[in-house]
Amino acid sequence: TKFNADAQYILLWIKEKESMVNDKNVGSDLHSAKKLLKPIENLKPELSEMESRLEQLKEFFDTIKQNYPKQSPKAAETLKVITNMWPEFCKNHRARLGALEQA
């Protein structure tokens, strides 16, 4: 279903970027810090896009809940996993960005 495809896309995106935002390496000099900072800064537009996709997923879930109640529990669990991961991912992104900007 579209819900499952969209949910998997968001989950895979988060997992793909997780190691980058959780990395503690801030480089050994200004040049290396700037090199590490660039991909983190480049995530900002992607974060906005994923935030939008997550909102759409929540709206789609509401439709599933109303029209397909038997599919609702599985979709609810999937949505819960994503909505639990998202704030932590964003917090880690902000922390990584701050650490690299101060390096």
Side-chain angles (χ1 to χ4, degrees), residues 42-75:
N42 289 343
L43 277 182
K44 287 179 184 179
E46 290 182 54
L47 281 170
S48 295
E49 179 192 342
M50 287 301 127
E51 184 76 39
S52 177
R53 282 179 176 253
L54 183 53
E55 290 307 312
Q56 290 171 1
L57 193 66
K58 289 175 184 177
E59 291 171 12
F60 195 36
F61 171 74
D62 290 338
T63 302
I64 290 171
K65 193 166 56 172
Q66 290 174 1
N67 299 326
Y68 307 99
K70 288 183 180 179
Q71 294 178 359
S72 178
K74 185 171 176 15

